[in-house]
Amino acid sequence: MIVKNQTVTSHFILQGLPIPPEHQYLFYALFLAMYLTTVMGNLIIIILILLDSHLHTPMYFFLSNLSFSDFCFSSVTMLNLLQNMQRQVPSISYVGCLTQMYFFIFFANMENFLLVVMAYDRYVAICFPLHYSSIVSPKLCVCMVMLSWVISMLYSMVHTLLLARLSFCKDNMIQHFFCETSALLKLACSDIFINELMIFILGGPIAVIPFLLIFVSYVQIFCSILKFSSVRVIHKVFSTCGSHLSVVSLFYGTIIGVYLCPSTNQSTVKETVMAMMYTVVTPMMNPFIYSLRNRDMKEALIRDPNIFSLGYWISMIMTNQTVISSFILRGLPILPDHQPLFYALLLSMYLSTVMGNLIIIILILLNSHLHTPMYFFLSNLSFSDFCFASVTMPKLLKNMQTEVPSISYVGCLTQMYFYIVFGNMENFLLMIMAYDRYVAICFPLHYTSIISLKLCVCMVAMSWVFNILFAMLHTLLLARLSFCEDNMIPQFFCDLSALIKLSCSDIFINELMIFIIGGPIIVIPFLLIIVSYVKIVCSILKVSSARVIHKVFSTCGSHLSVVSLFYGTIIGVYFCPSTNNSTVKETVIAMMYTVVTPMLNPFIYSLRNRDMKEALLRVLCKKKNSL
């Protein structure tokens, strides 16, 4: 569908901000400073809440989600705006425009819902203080936030898919500095009745109902505090709600300014200025409102003034190390008599993994015929496989030769960090490669225009950045835990779930983050891969030629084999019922996806892939001729 639109228009021109050319650099510096302030402010809020046990309450759980949403909301528009301010022609691709619009709607609505949830939290805390802990339970908090994420995701998906079906003809000038829904609908040259109907049916209630619920909550709070004659109680209530009320006023005030104030001749300028308010100013101001007006946040910052220094993290790790300085890895369930045999087997498997993946990378680098998007993704997959195996195998081989297979505390956290990075990287790369095959088979004539070099680099770079941040989050959360007497890890490497089970401190936040972020990171890529192959199968069923069908399956065969191998082992770990020998089963399956899968991937892509075999023959023949 996107490709069909791209036959008419492949990109849009963003009008940008009404800034005179001589003031461009000044405003660029201003917006960059505002964006960096937004990022730093919201990250400080998130880190303070994660690390300070006094802030592990429902209100601050909601606030951490609001700060994360603000950070993402600002990043959706600001990064592209800053990039376009340095260009002569501020453009954005069709796919990039839809993506920006999707995430803009998603995070804007997420903030909307979170403000409602926080208003309900304040309502219960003030009107029913004795029953607060039983009403606003951790389970309810997680459910409300998860429901907000899901509704926002589905709502933004509806509008994005409806917009993707429209055609855009000659006019591609968006009267805004980002891809806003109403601005895009004005450019469409096809029927937009359904789009406007869905905005009216869904969009209105999603904006109005949360605002009314917040209003009702504060009316109830106001009625409740009127019963008290104590000035101290009234002052405490207003100090508790002050930060939230300020954020609500800032957020909804700008929205009312955009949509409810009458338009003038300069309505485009007005809308742009108002949009800057709720996309840039509001996310930047929220951290200051919650830190300057909030006593708990100020006290948390005073308690840990060096929380953002390297020394703080080293001292925190050392604090845990005063309790436990190393872990014992149980290793593999191998009899002592078979130890040398298995050592030789695992060493040969690791060397095969290293050699196979390095050969793939070198072949792709040296052979110009393989300088295509598919092999660019494959080279990243091979590099990820090489690193993934290297994270666990050298330590395992070393421990097999020692009497006590141990690993230091810092070494264990480091191994776990890189294990998460490269494990999830393989997950994302398989999803990207599935999308590549989908476009190549379903839209072959438009393949080069869709899968451009810029898009390839962006997808891979985003995958690396996202996985690095995801791994860092879990590593920092684990670093705050204490480990007491039991230091036996029932695995041959430092697995996150195994380490959490050994902790003797509160692991609620760790498990919550695994549930909120970890689950979708595995499930969503897998579902997208399935959707891609369903689309591919539906596409080839329309073709009666056996030659075309055989070519399609030979093209996708290698990728399908790797996907089956990777996700098959994950399903074996997490979905198969446990038995009495569950530890042995988990160890064997962990060996499958940490050792066997990275070893087999190069063979699958070389033995089943004609291009790779031809490239290898060319290199060998060239070497033979030179001799």
Side-chain angles (χ1 to χ4, degrees):
M1 187 181 291
I2 289 173
V3 179
K4 186 178 178 181
N5 286 329
Q6 282 194 310
T7 58
V8 182
T9 181
S10 60
H11 68 281
F12 293 100
I13 306 298
L14 293 166
Q15 189 177 51
L17 300 174
I19 301 170
E22 60 270 17
H23 298 154
Q24 197 82 357
Y25 290 106
L26 177 65
F27 276 90
Y28 180 86
L30 175 64
F31 291 139
L32 180 61
M34 291 173 73
Y35 176 65
L36 292 175
T37 304
T38 304
V39 171
M40 289 302 297
N42 284 292
L43 285 179
I44 286 170
I45 295 283
I46 294 167
I47 293 169
L48 272 177
I49 292 169
L50 286 174
L51 298 180
D52 196 299
S53 58
H54 298 84
L55 302 180
H56 293 174
T57 61
M59 184 176 79
Y60 292 106
F61 169 65
F62 301 139
L63 177 57
S64 63
N65 277 273
L66 180 68
S67 294
F68 177 73
S69 179
D70 277 335
F71 162 65
C72 297
F73 187 41
S74 181
S75 300
V76 167
T77 55
M78 283 301 289
L79 291 174
N80 188 254
L81 171 64
L82 291 167
Q83 186 183 23
N84 282 339
M85 286 179 77
Q86 292 184 313
R87 292 176 176 173
Q88 291 184 344
V89 182
S91 65
I92 186 170
S93 67
Y94 178 86
V95 176
C97 193
L98 287 188
T99 305
Q100 187 184 59
M101 190 196 75
Y102 170 82
F103 284 109
F104 177 82
I105 297 171
F106 176 72
F107 289 113
N109 282 291
M110 190 63 206
E111 181 147 348
N112 190 26
F113 285 119
L114 285 170
L115 290 173
V116 180
V117 171
M118 293 171 81
Y120 174 72
D121 173 78
R122 292 300 83 203
Y123 160 69
V124 176
I126 292 165
C127 298
F128 306 100
L130 299 177
H131 302 283
Y132 178 77
S133 57
S134 60
I135 297 173
V136 186
S137 61
K139 185 178 179 181
L140 179 67
C141 294
V142 173
C143 287
M144 288 193 293
V145 170
M146 286 296 294
L147 191 63
S148 301
W149 283 102
V150 170
I151 293 173
S152 300
M153 192 181 296
L154 293 175
Y155 177 70
S156 56
M157 183 63 74
V158 167
H159 283 296
T160 308
L161 293 177
L162 284 174
L163 199 81
R165 54 181 270 282
L166 300 180
S167 299
F168 298 88
C169 305
K170 294 179 182 180
D171 188 8
N172 67 342
M173 173 68 77
I174 298 175
Q175 304 292 325
H176 225 304
F177 65 91
F178 67 96
C179 293
E180 203 252 343
T181 311
S182 58
L184 282 167
L185 288 176
K186 290 174 185 176
L187 298 181
C189 53
S190 53
D191 185 17
I192 60 170
F193 173 74
I194 296 176
N195 299 71
E196 291 178 331
L197 184 67
M198 294 308 292
I199 290 171
F200 177 75
I201 294 172
L202 298 177
I206 276 181
V208 174
I209 291 173
F211 178 70
L212 292 177
L213 289 173
I214 293 170
F215 182 76
V216 169
S217 297
Y218 276 104
V219 168
Q220 293 283 344
I221 290 169
F222 184 72
C223 294
S224 179
I225 63 170
L226 285 178
K227 299 174 185 177
F228 296 97
S229 57
S230 170
V231 176
R232 187 180 63 83
V233 173
I234 295 171
H235 178 265
K236 186 179 179 181
V237 168
F238 277 106
S239 66
T240 304
C241 299
S243 301
H244 182 258
L245 263 174
S246 302
V247 172
V248 167
S249 304
L250 199 60
F251 182 75
Y252 287 104
T254 53
I255 291 175
I256 291 168
V258 173
Y259 296 105
L260 300 184
C261 290
S263 298
T264 64
N265 295 330
Q266 297 173 331
S267 60
T268 305
V269 177
K270 183 205 79 173
E271 288 173 8
T272 304
V273 172
M274 287 292 187
M276 283 298 295
M277 283 294 294
Y278 66 81
T279 58
V280 182
V281 179
T282 304
M284 182 185 71
M285 293 301 295
N286 287 359
F288 290 99
I289 291 169
Y290 272 103
S291 58
L292 296 175
R293 294 180 59 89
N294 192 296
R295 187 186 64 188
D296 293 334
M297 293 299 296
K298 286 187 281 188
E299 287 177 355
L301 195 57
I302 292 168
R303 275 192 296 271
D304 299 307
N306 300 316
I307 201 167
F308 304 103
S309 66
L310 181 62
Y312 176 87
W313 294 103
I314 293 171
S315 65
M316 184 173 66
I317 290 173
M318 294 305 293
T319 301
N320 283 330
Q321 283 190 304
T322 58
V323 181
I324 189 167
S325 60
S326 64
F327 294 100
I328 306 298
L329 295 167
R330 181 175 288 180
L332 302 176
I334 301 169
L335 296 173
D337 297 341
H338 300 156
Q339 199 85 351
L341 176 64
F342 274 90
Y343 180 86
L345 175 64
L346 292 171
L347 179 61
S348 62
M349 290 172 72
Y350 176 61
L351 292 175
S352 299
T353 303
V354 171
M355 290 299 296
N357 284 291
L358 285 179
I359 287 170
I360 295 281
I361 294 168
I362 293 167
L363 275 177
I364 292 170
L365 286 173
L366 297 180
N367 199 300
S368 59
H369 297 85
L370 301 180
H371 292 173
T372 61
M374 185 177 80
Y375 293 106
F376 170 67
F377 301 139
L378 177 57
S379 62
N380 276 272
L381 181 68
S382 294
F383 176 74
S384 180
D385 278 335
F386 162 65
C387 296
F388 190 39
S390 299
V391 168
T392 56
M393 285 300 289
K395 185 63 182 173
L396 172 62
L397 292 167
K398 182 183 176 182
N399 282 344
M400 287 178 74
Q401 292 185 313
T402 58
E403 291 183 5
V404 182
S406 64
I407 186 170
S408 68
Y409 177 86
V410 176
C412 193
L413 287 189
T414 305
Q415 188 185 59
M416 188 199 75
Y417 170 79
F418 285 108
Y419 180 83
I420 295 171
V421 169
F422 295 114
N424 283 300
M425 192 62 204
E426 182 148 347
N427 188 30
F428 278 79
L429 285 170
L430 290 174
M431 176 187 67
I432 292 169
M433 293 169 81
Y435 174 69
D436 174 77
R437 292 300 82 204
Y438 159 69
V439 175
I441 292 164
C442 297
F443 308 102
L445 299 177
H446 304 280
Y447 178 78
T448 53
S449 60
I450 299 173
I451 310 291
S452 61
L453 177 61
K454 184 180 178 181
L455 180 65
C456 295
V457 173
C458 284
M459 288 193 293
V460 171
M462 282 178 65
S463 300
W464 282 108
V465 170
F466 186 81
N467 288 312
I468 287 168
L469 293 175
F470 176 70
M472 183 63 73
L473 172 66
H474 282 296
T475 307
L476 294 177
L477 285 174
L478 197 79
R480 57 181 265 283
L481 301 180
S482 298
F483 298 89
C484 305
E485 296 177 1
D486 188 9
N487 67 339
M488 174 68 76
I489 299 175
Q491 264 294 4
F492 61 92
F493 65 98
C494 292
D495 179 53
L496 177 61
S497 59
L499 283 167
I500 288 174
K501 289 174 185 176
L502 294 182
S503 175
C504 54
S505 52
D506 184 20
I507 58 171
F508 172 72
I509 294 177
N510 299 70
E511 291 179 331
L512 187 67
M513 286 295 114
I514 290 171
F515 176 74
I516 292 174
I517 304 174
I521 277 180
I522 296 294
V523 174
I524 291 173
F526 180 61
L527 292 177
L528 289 173
I529 291 170
I530 290 175
V531 169
S532 297
Y533 276 105
V534 168
K535 292 277 189 183
I536 288 169
V537 170
C538 292
S539 179
I540 63 171
L541 285 177
K542 299 174 185 176
V543 183
S544 58
S545 172
R547 186 180 63 82
V548 173
I549 294 172
H550 178 265
K551 185 180 179 181
V552 167
F553 278 106
S554 65
T555 304
C556 299
S558 302
H559 182 258
L560 264 175
S561 304
V562 173
V563 167
S564 304
L565 199 60
F566 182 76
Y567 288 102
T569 53
I570 292 174
I571 291 167
V573 172
Y574 297 104
F575 294 98
C576 290
S578 298
T579 63
N580 295 330
N581 298 321
S582 60
T583 306
V584 177
K585 182 202 78 172
E586 288 173 7
T587 304
V588 171
I589 294 180
M591 282 295 294
M592 282 294 294
Y593 64 81
T594 57
V595 182
V596 179
T597 303
M599 181 188 70
L600 289 179
N601 286 0
F603 293 99
I604 291 169
Y605 272 103
S606 58
L607 296 175
R608 294 182 59 90
N609 193 297
R610 187 184 63 187
D611 294 334
M612 291 300 298
K613 285 187 282 187
E614 288 177 355
L616 186 59
L617 286 172
R618 276 194 291 270
V619 170
L620 292 174
C621 291
K622 189 177 179 181
K623 187 177 180 181
K624 187 176 178 181
N625 292 332
S626 64
L627 292 172

